[in-house]
Every structure is written in C-alpha cells, then in structure tokens.
Amino acid sequence: MRTGTARGPGIPDHRSAGRYVWWLVVSQRGRVAAGATYGSLWMVGLMLPPYVLSRAIDEGLVPGRLPVLLGWVAVLFAVGVANAWLAVMRHRTMTRIRMDATFRTVRVIVAHTLRLGAALPHTVTAGEVVTIGIGDVGVISQTLTMTGPGVGGVLAYGVVAVLLLTVSPLLAGVVLLGVPLLALLVGPLLGRLQGAESRYRERQSGLAARLTDLVGGLRVLNGLGGKDVFADRHRREARELRDEGYRVGAVTSWVQALGVGLPTLFLAAVTWLAARMAAQGAITVGELVAVYGYAAALVVPVSFFIEGGYDLTRGLVAARRVVRFLRLEPDTADGSGSGAADGSGDAAGSRAGGAAGSVVGDAPEAASVLRDPASGVEVVPGLLTALATARPGESAAVVDRLGRFADSAATWGAVRLDEIPLPQVRDRILVADNEADLFAGTLREVVGGRRDRTEEAIGRAVRTALAEDIVRGLPNGLDSAVEAQGRNLSGGQRQRLRLVRALLADPEVLLAVEPTSAVDAHTEAGVAARLHNARAGRTTVVTSTSPLLLDRADRVYFLVDGRAAAVGSHRQLLAEQPGYRRLVARGEDEDGTDESSEDVTHTTDGADPRPEAPVTKEDA
C-alpha cells in the first residue's frame, strides 16, 4: 500500500471503514509514532508526581532532613517541566496528524470526484458530497487523536499497576479491575450512538441535497409557483433532522456525563479505601497521598479511553460514508477520462468519464465518420449534422454514445470508440452539454478554460454565439466577475457562454446538446447562421427541434424511438416526413417565428437583425 507523497495523497484502502481509518494512520506512520511517543511519555509522566510527593512526605518531612525534602521538591519541579514540554509537543504533533488526515481525505475525495466525472450526478447527490467534505472529514480526523493519548493511557495504566503493587495488592486489584469496568459500562451506549449517528448523517446529507436543489432551481420554482411547496418540504425535513439530532445528543450527553462522572466516583471509592487503610496503619501517610494521586491521575487515561471510544464510533460512521463514495465507479473502465478538446476538462464544458472497453488501437489520423449503430446515425466529417426527435433524451443518448460517455458499439472510422485510448477521444471530440457547470471567475476565465486565449479568438467566439450584449452589459467586460454556475446571469446568457466556451476549445468534432434552447428566436437565428459559418469544414453535431437551427444543418436525422427514421435536408424532410413536419411545426409555435422568415433565417454573413438586448425564453 502506497503512502501519500508531495504528488498525491496515496491510494486509499476503501475495503471497509476500519481499513480506511487504518490507512490514514499508516500513511503518516512516522508522525503517528512520534505522537504516540509524546503521548505515552506525557501520560506516564502524570503518574510520577504522586510517587515523588509520597517520597517527599515520608522521607523529607522528618526533622533534620531538609536537604532530602528540597531534593524531592527539585525532582517534582523537573517532572512538572518535562510534562509541560511533552504536553506541548504531543498537542502539536496530534494537531498535525489531524490536519494531515483531513487534507488527505479531502484530496482523495476531490480526486475521486474528478475521476467519476459524468457519472457523479447519477450516483450521488450534491448534498452527500457537501456533507462528506464539511462534516465527515473532520470527524474522521478527530478519530486519529486516540493514537497519541490512547497508547499512552495503556502504558500509564500499567505503570500505576506496578506502583500500587508496591503499596498494597488490594488497592492494585481494585484499580486494575475498576478501570476496565468503567469502559464496559459505557460500551452499550457507544453502540447506540453509532446507530443514532448513522441515521443523523443520512438525514443530514438528504437535507443538504434538498437545500442544494432548492437554491439551484429557485428561479424556476418561483416562476412555477412551487417555491412554497419545496420550502415546506425543507422545513419538514429540517424538523426531522432536528429530532434525530436530539436523539444523538441524548446518547452523547450520557457518554460524556459517564466519561466524567464514573472516573470521579471511582476516584472517591479508591480514596476512601486508601484512607481506611492509612487509619489502620496498613499504609503510610505518604502512600495515602500517592494512592490518591494515582487514582486522580488515572482519571485522565480513563477519560481518554471513553472519549476515544466515542470518537472511534463517530469516525467509523463517517468513514463508512467516505468508503461508500470511494467505491463508486466512473462510466469508464480505462482510467479517469477528463478534459475537453482543449484539455481544460469541465472548464471547456465537456463531461469526464467514458465507456468501458479494452484499448487496442489509436484514433484515426484523418477526419473520419462517426457511426452509432444503435440509432443508425452517421456523422460525416466537415458537415453540420442535426438530430431532431420528439424526446430530447433520445438525441442526447446518441451524443453520449458518439462522445463515449455511454457503453456502445460506436465507431470512429474503422475503429470502435471504446478501443481508442480515452485521452485521444477527449482531445478531439468535445461534448458541449447544455447543463455544463460554470465555475466562478472572470468572464475571460469562464470561457477560456485553463488556456490563455487571445482577444481576437475570444471576440470571434463571442460574436458567433451572439454574446456581445453579455460582454457589454457587464461592468468590466471580459474582466467582470461571474458567480458560480453563472448565478448573476440569465438562463439564455449562461447558455450562450457555454457555446462560447465550446467554440473557443475548437475541437475537431463538436457535439452540442440543445445549444439554443434558452434563447429567443431572433438570437437563435443569428446563432444558427454564425455557427454554420464558424464551423465550416469542421465536424459539428447539434440536437434541436428548432427550424431555425435545423434549416442551417447540412444533414438532419429524424429520430423516432431512438432510431433514424429518415435523413436528409431540413426542407426534404419537411416535404417527405409528416412526423418531422409536425415536430418542426411545434418548434415553430414555441419559437413564435414562421419558418419562411427569410430575413431572419437565411442570413449568411451573420449580420442578421436582432434586438439591442436579446430576451431569453427564461426571462420572458
């Protein structure tokens, strides 16, 4: 098992929650060993002052033996200073251990999130990821605290046993049997705590997912009048989470109360027994003080035992959630496919992941036909191909197969897509998803990805996507701040920025899913004309039912039940396919534009008329 280096956190052991926690320990075995050493010496050091004090009383308080008393006082002072230094070093080391575990888990989760790519939204909710990243990570790292004082507590227990045997076998037996009994009394509560904590964590992640959905869809919910419905549901689930939290708190309060109360009662019992023995002359006054000191010092390791069990219980619950997340598999079996045509990953609007397959060949050197046997679609190089269907999910499924985001027998030239190394596919084929994320940053960074783009290239892409009004409308143009997911932009503006980003990537093959579904008809007409010109000679596929976009396509596939029912130009299909005609007529009704509007749809230079400030469908 490899440990983390400066290059990465290492390979986590996610076979079980316990193995994952152990992996965090062995990944920093040197630091853990140092923490255990400091913790052990500190804990054992806590047992020495009672012994030194007993010697000072029995040997130093005798008249005429002041030098002996001063000697024992000096030893007591030295032990105190040493213990203080050990406590500081223990605390510093354990803090580093916890921080290392926290950041190691965060890096593992982030790396696996990137590896999952497109499979992430289908396998886990955003709330689950948020709960793991915010809550579970800290709980797991806290568990590693027991590697320091936990080990030291065992050693201190043994040291006290030896010291008490020199005083009284009876007292030694009481202490040696009493400490394990305290742990046994708390044990059942830890089991109940684990169950309650698990239920609480599950509800917490569900509520976080609900809140994420509510915030993300607030604009739509407000328009549909469903905001109050979702808010009521959120309040109800919040109350259920609160009640579950009360149950966790009830068990936790008992654990913590017993963690303090039981050692105190135990201390009182041992002190009472030792005092009776001192009154009967069985032990000296110094030994009485020592017994009291040993019992009082044992409160610390006993408390650590109980707290360690509490932390371990909660840590295993949290680690179980992390392990469950790490077991999720991406859509690809040959590595973590990420990156778009420009190598910028999600920043270029593509989705990571891919279909499973054995890598046996390379991508064709020259532009080649993309074929999807499942639908019968063939994408000819250099042409603008459109996919039209009454069910948008069917055309999106074709794009997923051609972009290698789903298992299929799709081919590229004479080679199956799933037999080509995934980086080669991602380097040349870009899927521009209509719902691709927009990360926070300047407008220039949002559309440019991780590569530096020239002003000229950005300007061309902005003009093609008819996004000049977005740049003009922001206070600092391309240097204006864009919030995460484009929250300070309208739906149509976000869609056009995604298109700008995809055009700047300039892939050999661009597969665009509904690139104009959220813009008004005039803007859509301009985008269709300019996209056709900008991608001339380049392979482009769009999914749409808009006649404005379909009329610009070189070839149109009419899909019925996921299969190509007809293929031809937009006008050919209008004349020959009643089903296609009805589909397009519906698209015309939605756009509010007649298909014969030559002044809008047949502009070839991209200088078509449009409003000064285009209004999106969402804004309307």
Side-chain angles (χ1 to χ4, degrees):
M1 183 183 304
R2 296 186 309 188
T3 59
T5 65
R7 294 184 178 180
I11 302 175
D13 187 345
H14 53 73
R15 289 175 290 177
S16 68
R19 289 179 182 272
Y20 181 80
V21 174
W22 180 246
W23 171 75
L24 291 176
V25 173
V26 300
S27 294
Q28 44 177 332
R29 56 174 63 91
R31 188 178 289 126
V32 169
T37 300
Y38 287 130
S40 300
L41 292 176
W42 170 71
M43 197 75 74
V44 171
L46 294 178
M47 307 303 150
L48 295 181
Y51 173 78
V52 175
L53 188 60
S54 68
R55 298 277 67 80
I57 293 173
D58 288 342
E59 300 177 10
L61 293 183
V62 178
R65 305 194 65 181
L66 182 61
V68 175
L69 177 61
L70 294 177
W72 282 116
V73 170
V75 172
L76 185 61
F77 177 78
V79 169
V81 172
N83 278 352
W85 181 82
L86 289 172
V88 171
M89 298 304 298
R90 178 194 65 84
H91 182 76
R92 290 181 178 178
T93 305
M94 298 314 301
T95 299
R96 293 190 180 100
I97 291 173
R98 289 191 296 268
M99 295 300 292
D100 183 281
T102 296
F103 291 121
R104 194 178 297 270
T105 299
V106 168
R107 294 175 69 185
V108 165
I109 292 173
V110 171
H112 193 62
T113 299
L114 296 177
R115 180 170 175 262
L116 288 173
L120 182 63
H122 309 298
T123 54
V124 65
T125 65
E128 178 82 4
V129 179
V130 170
T131 303
I132 292 174
I134 296 178
D136 293 334
V137 169
V139 173
I140 294 172
S141 63
Q142 182 65 30
T143 304
L144 270 65
T145 300
M146 62 187 302
T147 60
V151 175
V154 175
L155 293 177
Y157 179 74
V159 170
V160 169
V162 172
L163 293 175
L164 282 176
L165 283 173
T166 62
V167 177
S168 168
L170 175 60
L171 290 174
V174 170
V175 172
L176 294 180
L177 294 177
V179 172
L181 180 61
L182 298 181
L184 290 176
L185 291 176
V186 181
L189 288 175
L190 297 179
R192 288 186 56 189
L193 177 64
Q194 186 170 6
E197 188 80 21
S198 298
R199 292 189 297 272
Y200 177 80
R201 291 288 179 180
E202 293 297 330
R203 287 190 179 274
Q204 186 180 42
S205 64
L207 184 63
R210 179 76 65 191
L211 183 60
T212 301
D213 294 340
L214 180 62
V215 174
L218 191 58
R219 183 196 296 263
V220 177
L221 290 173
N222 196 36
L224 297 175
K227 185 170 62 175
D228 292 338
V229 176
F230 272 76
D232 289 340
R233 187 177 302 174
H234 180 269
R235 282 192 289 268
R236 183 176 65 254
E237 294 180 356
R239 287 193 295 269
E240 293 174 354
L241 177 64
R242 178 198 61 194
D243 295 339
E244 199 67 53
Y246 286 159
R247 283 187 281 272
V248 173
V251 180
T252 301
S253 64
W254 276 106
V255 172
Q256 294 180 344
L258 292 177
V260 176
L262 288 179
T264 303
L265 293 175
F266 177 68
L267 171 62
V270 172
T271 303
W272 177 81
L273 179 60
R276 284 183 58 87
M277 296 178 67
Q280 296 171 357
I283 60 176
T284 66
V285 174
E287 290 173 336
L288 170 62
V289 173
V291 170
Y292 173 82
Y294 297 148
L298 273 180
V299 171
V300 177
V302 170
S303 298
F304 272 121
F305 288 151
I306 297 175
E307 290 178 8
Y310 170 70
D311 290 337
L312 181 61
T313 299
R314 299 177 69 240
L316 290 177
V317 172
R320 193 173 296 120
R321 293 163 55 85
V322 172
V323 165
R324 186 170 57 196
F325 178 76
L326 295 178
R327 287 176 179 170
L328 298 177
E329 291 295 333
D331 292 334
T332 177
D334 58 347
S336 57
S338 63
D342 69 339
S344 59
D346 287 338
S350 73
R351 295 171 292 177
S358 301
V359 179
V360 297
D362 290 328
E365 295 184 4
S368 301
V369 176
L370 274 171
R371 294 183 179 87
D372 176 36
S375 63
V377 171
E378 291 189 359
V379 180
V380 178
L383 299 183
L384 173 58
T385 303
L387 308 179
T389 177
R391 299 169 181 163
E394 295 176 354
S395 57
V398 175
V399 170
D400 279 346
R401 292 192 290 268
L402 294 177
R404 194 175 160 185
F405 289 98
D407 293 333
S408 73
T411 60
W412 194 6
V415 187
R416 280 179 55 124
L417 267 177
D418 56 8
E419 294 177 350
I420 301 173
L422 191 59
Q424 294 184 23
V425 177
R426 293 289 170 263
D427 188 54
R428 297 171 61 183
I429 300 177
L430 170 64
V431 175
D433 197 322
N434 187 34
E435 298 297 328
D437 289 333
L438 293 175
F439 298 106
T442 65
L443 182 59
R444 188 189 309 274
E445 294 170 340
V446 169
V447 300
R450 66 185 181 189
R451 291 184 180 179
D452 293 331
R453 310 291 182 176
T454 64
E455 294 287 337
E456 183 181 1
I458 295 176
R460 284 197 304 268
V462 167
R463 285 191 296 273
T464 300
L466 246 69
E468 299 103 315
D469 64 295
I470 303 176
V471 179
R472 291 195 303 264
L474 293 173
N476 298 315
L478 290 173
D479 295 319
S480 300
V482 175
E483 297 178 6
Q485 302 301 338
R487 288 192 298 268
N488 56 333
L489 303 173
S490 70
Q493 290 174 328
R494 291 195 294 268
Q495 189 173 57
R496 283 180 285 159
L497 287 186
R498 293 186 181 102
L499 182 57
V500 171
R501 188 169 59 181
L503 292 170
L504 271 175
D506 194 26
E508 178 183 328
V509 180
L510 173 60
L511 309 176
V513 179
E514 300 289 346
T516 60
S517 61
V519 300
D520 66 277
H522 295 286
T523 304
E524 187 173 38
V527 171
R530 296 183 183 188
L531 178 63
H532 186 274
N533 293 337
R535 293 288 299 176
R538 308 280 277 174
T539 306
T540 307
V541 177
V542 296
T543 70
S544 180
T545 57
S546 168
L548 302 174
L549 194 57
L550 295 172
D551 192 42
R552 289 293 180 178
D554 299 306
R555 302 180 77 193
V556 178
Y557 277 91
F558 175 42
L559 303 180
V560 178
D561 295 330
R563 294 283 304 174
V567 59
S569 69
H570 171 60
R571 295 183 182 276
Q572 286 176 327
L573 294 179
L574 280 176
E576 300 172 2
Q577 296 292 325
Y580 180 80
R581 191 162 51 246
R582 288 192 297 271
L583 176 64
V584 171
R586 185 178 65 184
E588 289 174 347
D589 293 340
E590 291 173 354
D591 293 334
T593 303
D594 184 73
E595 181 265 335
S596 62
S597 301
E598 299 292 330
D599 59 327
V600 175
T601 61
H602 292 167
T603 304
T604 57
D605 60 1
D608 52 287
R610 60 185 176 84
E612 285 297 320
V615 180
T616 68
K617 293 176 181 177
E618 181 176 312
D619 294 334

